């Protein structure tokens, strides 16, 4: 990632997500739409409520994805990386 310092000039709230929609390609950029599964106030069923849309260059988004994967594997022994990744994908039970 960038070697520039990271600053937060104003408070940025954490955003909880449970899934992502399909990538939307826009020339050299792409959009990743993130959502949270919630109960519908309309009919009581479930629905995906959009909570964030991330837009960036394909290159930057791939670097971010690679850093996420590296971070998930940082504490796993090399022979357990596959298991750690599957565990990460499944997520903790009862997480929300």
């Amino acid at each position: 990632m960038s070697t520039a310092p990271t600053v937060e000039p104003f408070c940025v709230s954490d955003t909880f997500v449970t899934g992502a929609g399909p990538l939307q390609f826009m020339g050299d950029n792409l959009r990743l739409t993130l959502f949270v599964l919630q109960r519908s106030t309309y009919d009581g069923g479930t629905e995906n409520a959009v909570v964030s849309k991330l837009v960036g260059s394909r290159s930057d988004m791939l670097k971010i994805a690679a850093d996420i994967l590296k971070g998930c594997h940082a504490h796993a022994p090399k022979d357990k990386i596959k298991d750690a990744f599957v565990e990460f994908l499944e997520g903790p039970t009862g997480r929300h």
Side-chain angles (χ1 to χ4, degrees):
M1 296 301 290
S2 173
T3 58
T6 300
V7 299
E8 190 170 343
F10 57 90
C11 183
V12 178
S13 298
D14 291 338
T15 302
F16 179 80
V17 301
T18 58
L23 293 175
Q24 297 173 299
F25 294 92
M26 307 176 308
D28 290 337
N29 294 315
L30 61 88
R31 177 187 294 132
L32 175 62
T33 301
L34 303 172
F35 56 79
V36 63
L37 184 65
Q38 69 178 20
R39 182 147 324 271
S40 171
T41 56
Y42 177 68
D43 64 4
T46 56
E47 62 188 9
N48 292 319
V50 174
V51 294
S52 183
K53 293 180 183 180
L54 303 176
V55 178
S57 72
R58 292 178 187 196
S59 174
D60 289 340
M61 295 295 256
L62 284 170
K63 288 176 190 172
I64 292 167
D67 284 342
I68 291 170
L69 288 174
K70 284 180 202 171
C72 293
H73 299 312
H75 302 290
K78 290 192 186 245
D79 61 335
K80 301 289 185 187
I81 287 178
K82 179 181 175 188
D83 296 336
F85 185 69
V86 170
E87 182 181 327
F88 172 76
L89 285 177
E90 292 173 351
T93 54
R95 65 182 170 190
H96 50 78

